[in-house]
Amino acid sequence: MDTEVDRTQMTAKFITFEGGEGVGKSTQIKRLVANLIKREIEAVRTREPGGTPRAEAIRSFLLQGKSEQWGPSAEAILFAAARLDHVNSMIKPNLESDKWVLSDRFCDSTRAYQGLTGGVPDELIDALETLALNGATPDLTILIDMDPELAFERVRKRAAEDGLNLPPDRYEKENIEWHRRLRRNFLDISRSNPERFVVVDGTQSVSDMESDIWAKVSERFSELAA
């Protein structure tokens, strides 16, 4: 597992993590970045919406629910605006500097949340994606799949352990059936894009999930197993 990798044989990769609320994306991104760095592969982590000052400002606006009254189409446009800045100011420059980029959410979240779950037409989602991605298509997308009831129980337990009592954000406050539909939509997106997606069982322990993800990443990018 600690074999040194010949970086001269590799090109920087763009990996995205997707899934519902509370499935463990942030934890696993940190661990994958650490595993890459151990192998002398430069890697950075980021998130959506966010990743740049302008995109973080849009994130705050969205997650506080200030755009909810405008409807899912307006929210999709705001996500696209944040993504365009994120791609041009953070993602592409790092990839061009030979650094791997790992993002907590990307375009598939907009398609799942605002598109399939929120009812925004495919034509608008497709147009916004073409504009915002600007050619930055993920090399691999890791979908962490988990029953939303179990995921929210995990979130509540973690908050209690940390002594936190934060109000739910724009999407956490949706009812459980909304989140079940979201989960189904993520799985549908993954089945429609098998060349890019791998699905990981989110009910595993943190360490087991880390090992599972590393095995899947190594299988996809065979040079890591060298």
Side-chain angles (χ1 to χ4, degrees):
M1 188 161 178
D2 294 323
T3 304
E4 186 174 333
V5 175
D6 182 2
R7 294 184 66 249
T8 64
Q9 303 301 312
M10 302 184 69
T11 56
K13 308 298 182 186
F14 178 29
I15 301 176
T16 57
F17 280 66
E18 297 287 1
E21 308 296 323
V23 297
K25 299 184 305 302
S26 298
T27 297
Q28 292 304 324
I29 285 179
K30 291 176 185 176
R31 291 187 172 223
L32 182 53
V33 167
N35 278 320
L36 290 168
I37 290 173
K38 274 198 305 186
R39 291 158 179 83
E40 299 186 352
I41 296 171
E42 289 188 87
V44 296
R45 61 185 176 92
T46 186
R47 66 179 184 177
E48 285 216 345
T52 67
R54 286 184 289 264
E56 288 289 339
I58 295 175
R59 176 190 182 89
S60 178
F61 186 82
L62 284 162
L63 296 189
Q64 288 176 28
K66 294 179 179 178
S67 62
E68 185 176 2
Q69 60 182 331
W70 300 347
S73 292
E75 289 184 322
I77 292 169
L78 286 170
F79 276 112
R83 181 165 300 127
L84 181 61
D85 187 62
H86 190 204
V87 167
N88 290 338
S89 301
M90 191 279 177
I91 294 173
K92 278 193 165 184
N94 275 288
L95 291 171
E96 289 166 0
S97 297
D98 204 27
K99 295 177 183 176
W100 289 42
V101 177
L102 280 64
S103 182
D104 184 342
R105 299 198 182 284
F106 196 58
C107 58
D108 296 297
S109 277
T110 300
R111 189 169 294 276
Y113 278 76
Q114 284 74 43
L116 295 173
T117 309
V120 177
D122 288 345
E123 294 80 5
L124 178 56
I125 295 293
D126 291 343
L128 291 173
E129 191 171 291
T130 299
L131 171 68
L133 264 61
N134 193 19
T137 303
D139 296 291
L140 174 66
T141 298
I142 298 168
L143 173 61
I144 302 181
D145 177 53
M146 188 177 185
D147 184 297
E149 287 190 273
L150 294 176
F152 277 109
E153 180 58 35
R154 177 187 286 177
V155 170
R156 286 190 290 269
K157 182 178 179 182
R158 188 186 308 135
E161 290 172 350
D162 294 341
L164 300 175
N165 187 27
L166 299 175
D169 69 23
R170 162 71 181 87
Y171 300 104
E172 290 172 344
K173 68 182 181 62
E174 297 285 358
N175 64 45
I176 196 65
E177 182 51 43
W178 190 94
H179 286 281
R180 290 192 182 110
R181 190 162 71 252
L182 177 69
R183 179 194 185 190
R184 292 193 296 269
N185 289 332
F186 267 123
L187 289 169
D188 285 345
I189 293 169
S190 73
R191 284 189 284 266
S192 298
N193 298 273
E195 75 290 345
R196 177 164 61 85
F197 269 82
V198 295
V199 180
V200 173
D201 179 5
T203 65
Q204 301 176 86
S205 70
V206 171
S207 295
D208 285 348
M209 204 189 310
E210 177 186 356
S211 298
D212 189 13
I213 288 171
W214 181 255
K216 286 177 166 61
V217 171
S218 299
E219 181 179 4
R220 182 60 60 97
F221 307 122
S222 58
E223 56 268 40
L224 289 175

